[in-house]
Amino acid sequence: MLKTKDQLKNKTFLVYGFGKSGKACFNYLNKKNNLKIYDDKNLNVKNKYKKYFVSKKEIKNLNFDFIIISPGINIKNCTLKNYLKNNQNKIINELDIFYFNNKKNTKITITGTNGKSTTSKLIYEVLKYHKKDVRLVGNIGNPILKEKNIKKNTIFVIEASSYQIDYSKYFETNIALILNIAPDHLERHKTFQNYVNAKLKLIKKQKKKSIALIEKNNGLIRDILKSQKVKSKIKNVDFKEYDSFYKKIKNNYFKNLSNIKNLSFVLKLSNILKLDNSKILKVVNSFKGLNYRQQIVYNKKKFLIINDSKSTSFSSTVPLLQSYENIYWILGGLAKKGDKLNLNKKYFKKIKAYIYGVNKAFFLNVLKNKCRLHSSKNLKDVLSKLFSDIKKNKNGKKTILFSPAAASFDQFKNFEERGRYFNQLLKKYVNV
C-alpha cells in the first residue's frame, strides 16, 4: 500500500502502453527507477527508448514492483490480460503517480459523459484571468506528468476519463465535478453500472474536507452516492439558478442548453472559490470553445453551421436538438453499444436528418417515422444533398448541425480528422 512519494523511488516499473501517457510516465520516473516498456502494437522504436522495450516472454521472467497502465489499454482484452489478472495489486496509473508527488496542490477534476473538455477549458480560462498559477492537464491532451515548475500555489484543472479514474488506486481530488452520466464506452465497461461506478470513484475516494459538484436533478448519481460511504461534501448544481448571469452573455456559443449546463458548474465552482463574477463574464463572452465541440464555424443571415464532430453518442447531441430551430442534422459513423435517443417527439418536427457511415441502418431504424430522413454512403454525398435541399427551402434561417452521435473510426482516424474534413467540404458551399 503506497503512502508517500518516496515509495515510488528505486523501484522496478513496467510501463504498459507507450502513447502520450506512457511516454510521460516513463520520462517522469526514469531517473530514479528501473523501467521497462511493453506495447501491444509492437512499436518499431528506433530512438533512445528502444533498449527499454521487452517482449511478452521476457516479462514473465522479470519481477516488477509496479505496472503502469495507459488508459487506452483494456486489461480484460489485451496481450497481457492473464499476467495483469495475476498482478492486479501492482497496477497503478499516471494519476496515482501525480497524486503522490503533488499531494498539497489544489486539484479540480472534471468528468462526465459529455462536456468535460469544454468545462475544463473554461475553468482554466477563468482561473487564469484571476491571475492564478493554473495548469490544464489530463484527458484534454497534455499528460499530467509533463508539467514543470510546479509551486505550492499551483492549481491543477484535470479532465479525467472513466478509463483513467477506473485504473487509479490512490488518486484523490479536492474538488470533483460530475457533469452528467449517460451510457457510453460500454464496449469496454460492459455494463452501464460499471461505467457509472468508474466515474463516481472520483467522489468515493475523496476525504472529508473535499467537495463534489453534481447535477441537482440527476437522481441516478444521488441515489448511488446515498448508498455509499461518501466523506466529501456534496453540492448540487442547478443551471436555472444563474438565469440573471445568462442574460448578460453576448457569446453565441452559450446559446444552447448543453453549454449553459456546463457553464453552471463553472459558476458554482467560482462561487466556492470566491471568484469575481464580472471577470467570469468577460471570460465567458470572449470564450471561443474548442475545435469540433459544438463549434460555430459559420453564422450569417441564411445559415448557422455547427461542427460538433466530438459528438459520439445521442446524449451529447440531444441538447443541441433541443436548442435550435429548422435543423438539418448530419449524423452517422460507428454507433455506440447500447446507445438510445431520448428526445421528446415535439422536437422531431423541426429536424431533417442526413445519415451516412457504416451503421446507416441502425440510425435509419432509430429515426424511422420520427423525422424526415435521407441517407448517403459518405459525408461528401450527404452534404451535397443537404445544400441541394436547402436551396429549395426559402423559409427562415437554417441550422446545419454536424453532430454525428457516433464514433468516427469507420471512416476517420479520430473525431478531429472528421471535424477537419467536414470544414474542408463546407468550403464548396460557404466561406468558412
Side-chain angles (χ1 to χ4, degrees), residues 235-265:
K235 291 184 176 289
N236 293 318
V237 179
D238 182 1
F239 75 95
K240 295 178 181 178
E241 182 183 336
Y242 304 100
D243 282 343
S244 59
F245 185 93
Y246 306 146
K247 290 175 182 177
K248 300 175 185 176
I249 298 174
K250 298 177 182 179
N251 188 344
N252 285 328
Y253 187 77
F254 294 96
K255 297 302 181 184
N256 69 69
L257 186 58
S258 179
N259 284 335
I260 283 294
K261 285 188 174 182
N262 292 337
L263 176 57
S264 68
F265 274 85

Side-chain angles (χ1 to χ4, degrees), residues 70 168 217 263 339 378 420:
S70 293
S168 67
N217 297 322
L263 176 57
D339 201 13
N378 54 49
R420 283 193 296 271

